[in-house]
Amino acid sequence: KCGAVIIIDEAECAVGKRGKTLQDDDQQQQQQDFSRDCLNVLLSLTGTMGNIMLILTTTNPGELDEAVLDRMDEIIHLPSLSSTERTCLLQNHFSRLFELAPEQPSSSIDRMLRAFRRSTNKACYDNMFDVTRSISSLSNTADLDTFSGRELEKLLQGVAYKTYASDTGVLSQSLWDVETRKLMTSFAAKQKGRSIEANGSLRRTVKHEIGTVKAQKRNKIKYKP
């Protein structure tokens, strides 16, 4: 009666293209069946959902079924983050995950009091660590051009975990440089793996279609009267 807004994140998983290559794995086959059922329900309800707004989000719009794209009133493209936007996000995430390490207590009583007073779970960085320069340098790195906001957050979370696991438990400039480089390499390998997997799916689709055509030709020749 009052209306609603329905948001489907990663919509290609639920309303992807029909006619994809059949997989031998039972779980993948079940996922394809589920996706086909979701697509059929969505298409059958289009135009009869009343006062409801449907929002689909995806990083692979080419994987959505053409019928779904045809029924969308508006298609909004969100470009990759700019260097300024990355800097803002990294600063926000850094302030949420890190804090300046307190000065070393001079006595055992001060150390005990500091342990009781500290209620935060943030990782610490030393007073020689230049936060502004480090984040600005990182955000201007070309390797981050394709990073999403979620990946930027995971990048700093990874640095925080490595800080906790370090010998000193405090983030230094050298630790920042090493760990950010490692994490960016790891993310790049992950993105490359997704690209290879997508190309492999395309090759499997073409191979399947060629095999189907050849089988049809053989059947025609075999059963030709």
Side-chain angles (χ1 to χ4, degrees):
K1 182 178 179 180
C2 298
V5 177
I6 301 176
I7 301 176
I8 303 178
D9 191 21
E10 297 184 356
E12 70 275 8
C13 297
V15 289
K17 287 184 177 180
R18 289 168 288 187
K20 287 187 176 182
T21 306
L22 295 178
Q23 304 290 339
D24 296 332
D25 186 77
D26 293 339
Q27 184 176 1
Q28 291 181 343
Q29 182 62 49
Q30 291 177 359
Q31 291 176 351
Q32 290 181 355
D33 293 340
F34 173 76
S35 177
R36 185 173 60 251
D37 293 340
C38 291
L39 178 61
N40 292 335
V41 171
L42 175 64
L43 296 180
S44 64
L45 294 177
T46 302
T48 62
M49 299 180 68
N51 191 21
I52 295 177
M53 175 183 290
L54 178 64
I55 300 176
L56 307 180
T57 66
T58 178
T59 55
N60 299 300
E63 291 296 318
L64 293 177
D65 193 85
E66 293 182 1
V68 174
L69 293 175
D70 184 62
R71 285 164 171 77
M72 294 294 104
D73 296 327
E74 294 184 24
I75 298 179
I76 302 175
H77 170 65
L78 299 178
S80 299
L81 297 171
S82 65
S83 175
T84 303
E85 292 169 334
R86 289 197 297 268
T87 299
C88 183
L89 287 175
L90 287 172
Q91 288 175 340
N92 290 337
H93 293 319
F94 189 91
S95 62
R96 184 174 57 84
L97 294 170
F98 293 90
E99 65 179 1
L100 181 62
E103 296 181 359
Q104 291 295 328
S106 57
S107 64
S108 58
I109 296 178
D110 291 336
R111 285 195 293 269
M112 292 176 61
L113 291 176
R114 190 183 71 174
F116 282 110
R117 289 171 182 170
R118 185 173 179 180
S119 59
T120 177
N121 293 322
K122 294 182 179 180
C124 295
Y125 63 92
D126 61 33
N127 55 3
M128 300 298 294
F129 181 74
D130 191 337
V131 178
T132 303
R133 185 185 66 83
S134 299
I135 289 181
S136 177
S137 176
L138 179 63
S139 63
N140 289 316
T141 304
D143 293 339
L144 295 187
D145 287 345
T146 59
F147 272 48
S148 64
R150 180 176 58 183
E151 289 173 328
L152 292 177
E153 182 180 11
K154 291 174 67 175
L155 176 64
L156 288 190
Q157 285 178 344
V159 175
Y161 297 152
K162 293 297 183 179
T163 301
Y164 286 126
S166 64
D167 295 334
T168 61
V170 178
L171 177 64
S172 62
Q173 190 65 55
S174 59
L175 181 62
W176 169 271
D177 294 338
V178 171
E179 295 305 330
T180 52
R181 193 179 305 112
K182 287 182 179 179
L183 290 168
M184 285 190 295
T185 302
S186 176
F187 278 113
K190 181 180 178 181
Q191 292 175 350
K192 183 178 179 181
R194 286 201 297 259
S195 177
I196 293 175
E197 182 180 357
N199 292 334
S201 298
L202 178 61
R203 287 194 295 269
R204 288 194 298 270
T205 301
V206 173
K207 182 178 179 180
H208 172 74
E209 292 178 352
I210 293 175
T212 303
V213 171
K214 288 182 178 179
Q216 292 175 349
K217 288 183 178 180
R218 286 196 302 268
N219 290 338
K220 289 181 180 180
I221 294 174
K222 183 176 179 180
Y223 296 106
K224 183 177 180 180

